[in-house]
Amino acid sequence: MVGVPSGEQYELVTQSSQPAMEAVHEEPEHGSLEGQRLHRRTLRKLDFVLLPFLSLLFLLNSLDKSNIGNAETAGFTHDAGLSAQDLNISLACFFAFFVALQPLGAALGRRYGMARWVPACMTLWGLSTILHIWVRRRWQLILLRVIIATLEAGFYPTAVSYLSLFYTRYEFAVRLGIFYGQTAVAGALGGVLSWAVFSHFPNRPGSPGLLPPESSNAIESVGWKSWEVLFLIEGCMTMVVAFIGFFWLPHSADTAWFFNASERKWAEQRIRLDRDAAAHASASPTRRRSSPATSEITPSDEAINDDEHAGEAHDRLLLSTDGTHSRQRKLSGVSSTSVTADAGLSRHDVLSAVVQRKIWHLLVCNILSAIPATAFGVFLPLVMKQLSPALDLTPAQSNLLAAPPFACGAVALFIFTRWSDRSHQRLLPILWSLGLLLIGLTLTVLSPMSNYILRYSSLCILLSGSYIASPLTVAWLTNNTPEPGKRAILLGINGWGNLAGVFSALLFTPADEKTGYVKPFVITLLCVMASFAGFAAFRAMLQRENRSRQILLASWDEETREREELMGDAYLDSRSRGLLARLFGDSALPNWLGADGHRRGDEKLTFLYSL
């Protein structure tokens, strides 16, 4: 008789896979000395060659997205003959296109590969940034922002999906934190860069709010306005780095120019082993006891042989099910292609991502939690300008004061992502970060305009909690989506979280400037509270689904579990078939979509969602 696991037993089962997870991302203990050196050398090259360059790309992406807010403090719309409302309209148009095209951009990035797609797009949006210098009509500004939005739309999901190909699940959040933290770094760097430009290239007399022309520290402007210099510098930087990207970014680990032969092999192998550890997360107790509980997965003959044997077992099971070679080619991908390849997309990847319910729940939570980060990426210099009327800050000073809050956001993001990787949790750190964000928002709303020290401190706390939920949501998606193509599309759909930018452009209007943006802060506070409740409900839903799968698996024998783990077709019925097959029934459409009724990836009943 098969018993139902108790709560304590269930906890042991779900945690038992943790050693296997740790095996891939921590420093080897039991491997050979040479194997340990190879592992550290491979990871070090990824951390010091690939990750910094990707972070630089995202830094420039964030600068080109937010520099219009810095330019506005120097009188951009005034000098261009536009109104302040024109700026808000252009931002709303930017985010509308940027958000709507996220899945399409992610699909194209996956289809053509990060190494080609992103540098090409960056070159064009860098040129568009420079063209802001000649804007004199509202339609010109809107057109340029729409072009930049279209080109930038697929950058983040494509880059994150690409990054996840090279790092194991619990190496990923810290690296993603470093990558995503460039949003905060861009805010700080943009403020410092703007201060430097505005201090040395003040506008000609008649332009509002800049250093007086008689300032001894100013360099006389010869036809160039300060915001024109800002657009020129940032656009040129983007184009230069994009050109380097064509040669710097590898298409996969086994084509990386910075690896030698053994490093290329191990960079591929360690990702295979990490995926295998994820697939065995809910294996039977017998199999778990036979697997290494404490030893590290290191470059060794044993690891390679185990992987080869897994592939042989997989192929045997496929052939025993259907003696055709075509079926084996269709379902068996073990060692046939590079697991770190940056291109490749199927119809099934797209459709299975679109119909997954969890992504839509996360999307709503992500939109609500991202409003502060997207709003202050553009509007913080303007908020600083109205920090206190008594201060009468110049544009250069307000941009410089915007740097420390962004720095606080970057530091907090690193701390939280490191905690997330070490604890193997994503949702709990998200909830704590939203709590920190709520404290900052509450203090900002309650602090009087006259107490600018308290108000400035509140903004630092607010920014500290603003940048954490989005990257950890992405980390959860990458951890729980084994199929790279589907993962890229899910990240693209999650990119619709940038709708928060549309809402923030409509919230932080010039009409609220004199009141210190109190009303927008209150609405943002309510949105973050709703997001907190949504993430808490999502965590409870995952725990319930994991428990249901464990109860079902407890009634299966070892052979059935293994079949489900490898092929996803154990006990197929109308309720347990793959999601697309359940939606479209026995028509020809599921076959055209690549949905043969078999469960794949996280649909497999042996798959347990990490929290």
Side-chain angles (χ1 to χ4, degrees):
M1 183 176 69
V2 178
V4 176
S6 65
E8 182 178 356
Q9 290 172 321
Y10 171 73
E11 182 69 17
L12 289 173
V13 170
T14 57
Q15 296 299 324
S16 62
S17 61
Q18 182 165 314
M21 297 174 182
E22 292 172 347
V24 185
H25 78 278
E26 293 181 357
E27 183 180 329
E29 293 177 3
H30 302 285
S32 66
L33 182 60
E34 183 57 34
Q36 293 179 33
R37 289 174 178 169
L38 174 60
H39 176 77
R40 287 197 291 266
R41 192 167 64 245
T42 302
L43 196 57
R44 188 163 56 245
K45 286 188 177 181
L46 289 172
D47 286 343
F48 288 95
V49 179
L50 183 64
L51 179 60
F53 191 78
L54 288 174
S55 299
L56 177 61
L57 296 184
F58 192 43
L59 172 63
L60 295 172
N61 170 265
S62 300
L63 281 174
D64 291 336
K65 193 184 304 178
S66 62
N67 56 17
I68 195 168
N70 299 113
E72 176 59 10
T73 64
F76 166 57
T77 55
H78 176 274
D79 293 339
L82 306 173
S83 68
Q85 190 60 30
D86 291 337
L87 176 65
N88 281 72
I89 293 173
S90 71
L91 288 174
C93 292
F94 172 91
F95 281 110
F97 278 82
F98 181 73
V99 169
L101 296 175
Q102 287 278 316
L104 177 60
L108 290 172
R110 179 67 194 174
R111 172 67 179 82
Y112 295 106
M114 165 84 182
R116 287 182 293 180
W117 178 256
V118 167
C121 289
M122 285 190 71
T123 302
L124 294 176
W125 89 54
L127 177 61
S128 299
T129 297
I130 296 173
L131 291 178
H132 278 70
I133 295 172
W134 292 279
V135 166
R136 294 298 180 268
R137 298 285 187 274
R138 179 170 65 179
W139 70 266
Q140 295 171 339
L141 176 61
I142 293 174
L143 178 62
L144 285 177
R145 299 314 291 179
V146 167
I147 290 173
I148 293 176
T150 303
L151 294 168
E152 289 190 349
F155 174 83
Y156 182 72
T158 300
V160 170
S161 177
Y162 179 77
L163 187 65
S164 71
L165 297 173
F166 294 91
Y167 288 102
T168 61
R169 287 163 298 148
Y170 295 106
E171 293 170 346
F172 183 64
V174 168
R175 275 78 181 184
L176 179 61
I178 294 171
F179 176 80
Y180 186 81
Q182 302 312 303
T183 304
V185 173
L189 180 61
V192 173
L193 181 61
S194 300
W195 169 79
V197 171
F198 298 168
S199 297
H200 290 81
F201 291 89
N203 279 9
R204 292 189 298 271
S207 294
L210 289 168
L211 293 175
E214 61 272 13
S215 172
S216 59
N217 295 326
I219 298 176
E220 184 65 28
S221 172
V222 183
W224 284 93
K225 299 181 179 68
S226 55
W227 56 266
E228 292 175 335
V229 176
L230 184 68
F231 281 132
L232 180 65
I233 291 174
E234 295 187 0
C236 288
M237 285 195 304
T238 298
M239 294 181 70
V240 170
V241 174
F243 179 75
I244 297 172
F246 283 109
F247 307 97
W248 194 277
L249 298 172
H251 287 284
S252 63
D254 55 13
T255 63
W257 59 269
F258 47 84
F259 284 149
N260 60 34
S262 60
E263 290 163 353
R264 291 190 187 100
K265 184 176 181 180
W266 175 238
E268 286 277 335
Q269 183 72 6
R270 69 193 212 97
I271 301 302
R272 292 186 190 277
L273 294 173
D274 180 60
R275 291 187 183 183
D276 187 60
H280 288 74
S282 55
S284 67
T286 302
R287 291 182 64 184
R288 282 197 303 271
R289 282 194 299 268
S290 65
S291 64
T294 58
S295 61
E296 300 285 348
I297 297 179
T298 56
S300 63
D301 293 338
E302 290 79 4
I304 295 172
N305 289 336
D306 285 347
D307 190 55
E308 290 173 351
H309 292 161
E312 291 170 4
H314 186 252
D315 291 344
R316 283 198 303 272
L317 186 55
L318 293 171
L319 289 171
S320 68
T321 303
D322 186 330
T324 64
H325 186 59
S326 61
R327 182 172 181 82
Q328 181 180 0
R329 286 199 310 269
K330 180 178 180 180
L331 292 177
S332 177
V334 177
S335 302
S336 60
T337 58
S338 168
V339 294
T340 61
D342 69 341
L345 189 67
S346 69
R347 300 186 192 98
H348 184 274
D349 290 332
V350 176
L351 268 296
S352 61
V354 170
V355 299
Q356 188 187 78
R357 291 174 295 176
K358 294 180 182 65
I359 186 61
W360 302 108
H361 184 121
L362 281 177
L363 177 59
V364 174
C365 297
N366 197 23
I367 291 172
L368 295 173
S369 67
I371 290 176
T374 55
F376 295 121
V378 175
F379 293 105
L380 188 60
L382 302 179
V383 173
M384 287 296 173
K385 196 173 180 181
Q386 301 301 321
L387 186 64
S388 176
L391 294 176
D392 192 24
L393 297 172
T394 67
Q397 291 170 336
S398 60
N399 278 280
L400 185 60
L401 282 174
F406 282 119
C408 289
V411 171
L413 177 59
F414 177 78
I415 293 172
F416 272 79
T417 52
R418 188 167 181 80
W419 168 34
S420 176
D421 268 354
R422 286 182 174 272
S423 64
H424 293 184
Q425 296 186 83
R426 306 302 188 203
L427 299 175
L428 193 60
I430 287 175
L431 292 173
W432 276 101
S433 71
L434 292 178
L436 181 64
L437 177 54
L438 287 171
I439 292 172
L441 279 167
T442 303
L443 289 174
T444 302
V445 170
L446 297 179
S447 58
M449 292 282 289
S450 57
N451 193 341
Y452 57 84
I453 295 179
L454 175 60
R455 194 170 177 80
Y456 186 75
S457 301
S458 302
L459 288 170
C460 289
I461 297 172
L462 191 160
L463 267 292
S464 295
S466 294
Y467 293 101
I468 298 163
S470 290
L472 287 186
T473 300
V474 168
W476 185 90
L477 285 170
T478 58
N479 284 174
N480 291 278
T481 312
E483 299 162 285
K486 179 180 178 180
R487 184 191 313 157
I489 302 302
L490 286 176
L491 293 175
I493 295 173
N494 185 65
W496 278 339
N498 287 287
L499 272 170
V502 178
F503 298 146
S504 64
L506 299 175
L507 276 176
F508 289 80
T509 62
D512 296 300
E513 188 173 337
K514 292 182 180 179
T515 63
Y517 299 97
V518 172
K519 181 181 176 182
F521 278 124
V522 172
I523 296 175
T524 303
L525 174 63
L526 295 175
C527 291
V528 174
M529 290 176 67
S531 176
F532 184 96
F535 276 114
F538 186 74
R539 189 171 188 271
M541 180 182 70
L542 291 179
Q543 289 175 320
R544 183 178 63 184
E545 185 165 351
N546 282 347
R547 190 173 295 109
S548 298
R549 291 188 178 188
Q550 281 288 350
I551 292 172
L552 177 63
L553 291 174
S555 65
W556 288 4
D557 58 29
E558 177 67 21
E559 183 179 351
T560 304
R561 290 192 192 96
E562 184 173 289
R563 182 182 186 86
E564 175 67 15
E565 186 178 305
L566 291 176
M567 297 185 62
D569 65 349
Y571 296 128
L572 283 177
D573 56 35
S574 60
R575 292 174 300 173
S576 62
R577 298 170 72 192
L579 185 55
L580 291 177
R582 295 205 306 273
L583 288 174
F584 299 108
D586 296 323
S587 65
L589 183 58
N591 288 330
W592 183 77
L593 296 173
D596 51 10
H598 292 241
R599 293 175 290 271
R600 303 182 186 184
D602 60 310
E603 291 181 359
K604 292 181 181 178
L605 300 178
T606 52
F607 187 92
L608 291 182
Y609 292 100
S610 63
L611 301 178

